[in-house]
Amino acid sequence: MAWNLDSDRPIYAQLLERIQRQIVSGRYRPGDKLPSVRELAAEASVNPNTMQKAFAELERSGLIITRRTSGRFVTEDTQMIAQIRTSLAKEEIHSFLARMKGLGFETQDIIRILSQEEIPSEAERSAQA
């Protein structure tokens, strides 16, 4: 099934973000071998060159490592993965807060609403999807 990509932003950047999120969320664990460029490009319904560009950027960041004859692997640097995960979480929080403030909410209102909200379990989220 094709990945849902937005035409307003560069495709390679969206691919990079998606793979990055798959790594920090645990879909691909430290040391895991990643699917080939061609496999992921086919899955995402994009040109392999575009996927290669995303992989090159992930490699530059150190999140993935290429082993010449074996393929690409997720870094085993769990501290790096945790830092990226925290950074992505902070970006999401800042975005959320900006949208809430755009709706006229003050910080204390946002905190009150969040404290009253129940977080669905993994099973409940899967059932809703």
Side-chain angles (χ1 to χ4, degrees):
M1 181 168 86
W3 294 1
N4 191 10
L5 302 171
D6 181 4
S7 63
D8 294 341
R9 297 182 27 230
I11 300 298
Y12 90 92
Q14 294 176 68
L15 298 172
L16 181 150
E17 290 169 5
R18 177 146 177 178
I19 295 167
Q20 188 179 55
R21 287 176 183 271
Q22 289 174 334
I23 291 169
V24 301
S25 70
R27 175 155 187 246
Y28 297 120
R29 299 192 177 282
D32 277 359
K33 183 176 181 177
L34 294 169
S36 73
V37 167
R38 289 198 180 282
E39 289 171 320
L40 278 180
E43 181 181 320
S45 296
V46 298
N47 186 301
N49 292 330
T50 307
M51 185 62 74
Q52 176 59 40
K53 187 173 180 181
F55 269 46
E57 189 61 35
L58 288 166
E59 191 166 4
R60 258 191 296 284
S61 76
L63 196 54
I64 66 172
I65 298 159
T66 298
R67 296 187 189 140
R68 287 264 179 228
T69 58
S70 304
R72 290 183 175 87
F73 295 82
V74 175
T75 183
E76 293 186 17
D77 185 345
T78 56
Q79 186 174 1
M80 174 193 281
I81 294 171
Q83 287 172 343
I84 293 171
R85 185 174 188 228
T86 299
S87 175
L88 290 173
K90 286 180 180 180
E91 288 174 21
E92 292 290 333
I93 290 167
H94 290 292
S95 176
F96 168 75
L97 291 174
R99 288 192 314 274
M100 292 299 287
K101 290 187 182 224
L103 291 173
F105 287 97
E106 296 295 326
T107 302
Q108 63 271 20
D109 297 324
I110 298 168
I111 292 169
R112 180 182 45 77
I113 292 168
L114 286 173
S115 67
Q116 294 171 348
E117 192 64 27
E118 286 189 39
I119 300 171
S121 70
E122 183 66 36
E124 291 169 325
R125 284 192 302 268
S126 294
Q128 291 173 353

